Amino acid sequence: MLDLNGKNALVTGIANNRSIAWGIAQQLHKAGANLGITFLPDDKGRFEKKVRELVEPLNPSIFVPCDVQNQEQIEATFATLADQWGKLDILIHCLAFADKEGLTGDFSAISREAFQQSLEISTYSLTRLAKYAKPLMTEGGSIVTLTYLGGVKVIPNYNLMGIAKAGLDMSVRYLAAELGPHNIRVNGISAGPIRTLASSAVGGILDMIHHVEKTAPLRRTVTQTEVGNTAAFLCSDLSSGITGQIIYVDAGYEIMGM
């Protein structure tokens, strides 16, 4: 019943085969979506090579650089979508960053520069990409982002990313209200802790995973594939009445008090 054939989907944030974005891309491809992939460019082209080789089995029809701190690259990305696809149906936002300063030490000691950079990449980028996606979603569409419990409750060593995710959660709601009349739905997935390149920067990530495995109702954490399945559902007509929501895919951990 979950059919994305004929849908064009842009996926951001794939870094390697542990990325949640990679799990989402695989499930969208499995459901029949035509994929476009962005990568974070670097001077030596290492990220491009790694991501290109990884996504090759998914046969993406578009593969472009997109640093969300670079306005020209954002505009070029959506110009390519307009030129080659004509329309966009799905936008997957899997972008987040905080340097070591934002994830360690006293929260009150975080610099203005670290704060601004983290919120620009992790929070504002959703709104910026949605702005350019909106005119291409001529037949309606679905925008899905990744968030985390640390934007709702205090998580050790999450610090600045907690603020970024809280802002992301509210961005989902305000964008859903704006874009709803255009039949564009906006939702977030709050995934349980998964070992990824991004999560490895959070101190004690393995302890967090083990705690979830002991505490969550399902007595385990979740996989990239499970998050990908939920994303595919949110991008399909099966979820046509859902927007502005944060869906927890965390083996039930969020409901627990002790």
Side-chain angles (χ1 to χ4, degrees):
M1 293 179 62
L2 203 162
D3 183 8
L4 297 178
N5 280 286
K7 302 291 187 181
N8 295 323
L10 181 68
V11 180
T12 67
I14 298 177
N16 56 34
N17 62 357
R18 288 188 175 182
S19 299
I20 296 177
W22 169 237
I24 293 174
Q26 287 178 292
Q27 298 312 107
L28 295 182
H29 173 73
K30 185 177 179 180
N34 174 38
L35 296 182
I37 304 293
T38 71
F39 63 90
L40 179 66
D42 65 291
D43 293 338
K44 297 183 178 180
R46 292 170 297 182
F47 293 153
E48 177 180 1
K49 182 177 185 295
K50 181 182 295 185
V51 177
R52 185 184 294 276
E53 291 176 351
L54 178 64
V55 303
E56 184 177 2
L58 306 186
N59 193 31
S61 59
I62 290 176
F63 186 81
V64 292
C66 188
D67 179 348
V68 291
Q69 292 187 283
N70 186 317
Q71 180 63 23
E72 292 182 356
Q73 287 187 16
I74 293 175
E75 292 178 0
T77 294
F78 285 91
T80 299
L81 298 183
D83 181 57
Q84 295 191 28
W85 286 353
K87 73 178 180 74
L88 178 66
D89 303 289
I90 295 165
L91 172 63
I92 303 296
H93 176 272
C94 301
L95 303 170
F97 176 80
D99 63 14
K100 186 177 180 180
E101 175 191 345
L103 298 172
T104 58
D106 291 339
F107 179 75
S108 61
I110 295 171
S111 69
R112 184 189 304 272
E113 292 73 23
F115 193 99
Q116 289 176 336
Q117 183 186 40
S118 182
L119 266 72
E120 180 179 6
I121 296 173
S122 310
T123 309
Y124 179 65
S125 63
L126 173 65
T127 300
R128 180 58 25 174
L129 296 183
K131 174 185 177 180
Y132 287 91
K134 179 180 176 179
L136 294 180
M137 290 185 163
T138 54
E139 299 176 7
S142 176
I143 299 174
V144 177
T145 189
L146 288 180
T147 186
Y148 179 58
L149 183 63
V152 179
K153 300 177 182 179
V154 175
I155 301 293
N157 301 313
Y158 206 58
N159 287 20
L160 180 53
M161 279 307 305
I163 305 303
K165 293 300 187 184
L168 186 68
D169 291 356
M170 283 308 303
S171 296
V172 164
R173 299 179 183 110
Y174 277 100
L175 286 170
E178 174 192 338
L179 300 178
H182 302 275
N183 196 31
I184 300 171
R185 298 179 294 107
V186 187
N187 293 288
I189 297 174
S190 183
I194 298 174
R195 290 193 67 180
T196 65
L197 181 63
S199 70
S200 64
V202 179
I205 183 63
L206 291 181
D207 292 335
M208 292 168 60
I209 291 174
H210 295 326
H211 175 69
V212 169
E213 291 171 339
K214 294 177 181 178
T215 308
L218 295 182
R219 296 297 190 269
R220 62 177 180 85
T221 188
V222 295
T223 67
Q224 287 90 339
T225 298
E226 288 177 312
V227 179
N229 286 336
T230 302
F233 162 72
L234 289 173
C235 293
S236 76
D237 291 339
L238 294 178
S239 63
S240 60
I242 300 174
T243 194
Q245 303 302 307
I246 305 299
I247 310 296
Y248 284 87
V249 183
D250 63 354
Y253 178 77
E254 185 269 339
I255 71 169
M256 302 302 292
M258 291 183 65

